[in-house]
């Protein structure tokens, strides 16, 4: 069974969108409802800076991947969606070694 790598890209983008939603929600509440002193400003700045750095690094790694490729996933004893017998699975494992 061939699994395209693009599935993982879409999952990652979805997780980034969810993270950014909650991050903006938290930053809004930190600015709106907290005491605005140096500590609050500094922690908010560190959070935003760390988020930006992590995003740039991850997008740099993501850019280098060919997302049109896939990887083959063939568990022993399974051909397509038909599950073979236990003896067949053992024979397939022994053939690979």
């Amino acid at each position: 069974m061939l699994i395209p790598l693009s599935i993982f890209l879409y999952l990652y983008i979805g997780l980034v969108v969810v993270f950014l939603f909650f991050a903006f929600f938290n930053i809004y509440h930190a600015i709106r409802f907290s005491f605005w002193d140096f500590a609050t400003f500094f922690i908010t700045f560190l959070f935003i800076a760390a988020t930006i750095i992590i995003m740039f690094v991850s997008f740099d790694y993501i850019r280098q991947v060919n997302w049109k490729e896939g990887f083959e996933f063939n568990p022993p004893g399974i051909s397509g969606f038909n599950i073979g017998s236990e003896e067949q699975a053992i024979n397939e494992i022994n053939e690979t070694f």
Side-chain angles (χ1 to χ4, degrees):
M1 171 172 33
L2 184 68
I3 299 175
L5 290 178
S6 60
I7 289 175
F8 297 106
L9 177 64
Y10 297 135
L11 287 173
Y12 176 76
I13 291 172
L15 290 174
V16 166
V17 168
V18 169
F19 171 79
L20 289 176
F21 172 76
F22 284 112
F24 288 130
F25 185 78
N26 288 334
I27 291 169
Y28 167 75
H29 280 88
I31 292 171
R32 176 77 171 101
F33 298 111
S34 71
F35 295 109
W36 195 247
D37 57 354
F38 179 74
T40 306
F41 172 76
F42 186 69
I43 295 299
T44 304
F45 175 76
L46 281 179
F47 177 75
I48 293 171
T51 301
I52 290 171
I53 290 170
I54 291 171
M55 292 290 175
F56 275 123
V57 169
S58 67
F59 287 137
D60 187 46
Y61 281 113
I62 286 173
R63 190 175 42 89
Q64 299 172 9
V65 175
N66 182 5
W67 293 103
K68 294 179 183 177
E69 291 184 8
F71 65 92
E72 193 70 31
F73 179 69
N74 288 324
I78 297 176
S79 59
F81 292 103
N82 300 325
I83 299 176
S85 65
E86 182 178 337
E87 182 179 325
Q88 180 185 2
I90 293 172
N91 289 337
E92 287 182 12
I93 291 172
N94 290 335
E95 288 175 5
T96 58
F97 295 109

